[in-house]
Amino acid sequence: MLSIVLLSIALGISGCSPQDSTKTAAASKREVSLPTIAAQAKGFSAGALMSSNTVYVFFDTQCSHCGHLWQASEPLQRKVKFVWIPIGMINASSKAQGAALLTAASPAALMTEHETSLLAGQGGIAASSSVNPEIEQSIKNNTQLFNSFGADAVPFIVAKNMKSGQTVSQAGAMTTVALAEFLGVDAP
């Protein structure tokens, strides 16, 4: 069973897209911008909080590919600061679970618990469907920002490659080694 899971991961981890196939990219796609994300998105940090390299990850709590990226990012969290930005795209649980993560005392620990549950087929953490209106608006704003970039699948990663200095973006999960290469850092 483990070999089947590893094979499916190796053959092409991709991303989750909205279940509504009529969704189209934003009509006026804006350039992916690190300063715009830093100023407008609301997320939680994990990893090297003092790192000069911040990696932004738009994710949906119901996306298993996002769970795989969370796990792949863990060995890199000693080197890089990740900001995980929840959006509401897949189903009603997305917003509630995203809100629970944004308001958690220890969001990184809760994210690990959530992703472990999600990847085990248990649906993730239990979260109240009653969401604080400010947090709900933050998730809506995150989703609008994600859509404004013309992105259509999560996880959607935006960072500055440490070796090239270029802003890079990609939809879909990666292995730890591929993520390290994408970010321009040494693999653990």
Side-chain angles (χ1 to χ4, degrees), residues 5-25:
V5 171
L6 292 175
L7 180 60
S8 67
I9 291 171
L11 289 177
I13 293 178
S14 60
C16 296
S17 297
Q19 291 182 357
D20 178 4
S21 61
T22 62
K23 178 193 176 289
T24 57

Side-chain angles (χ1 to χ4, degrees), residues 140-169:
K140 285 180 182 178
N141 292 345
N142 289 345
T143 305
Q144 290 171 346
L145 182 60
F146 166 81
N147 289 332
S148 77
F149 296 134
D152 61 0
V154 287
F156 183 66
I157 310 157
V158 183
K160 181 167 80 170
N161 181 287
M162 293 299 286
K163 291 181 181 169
S164 72
Q166 298 295 311
T167 297
V168 293
S169 63

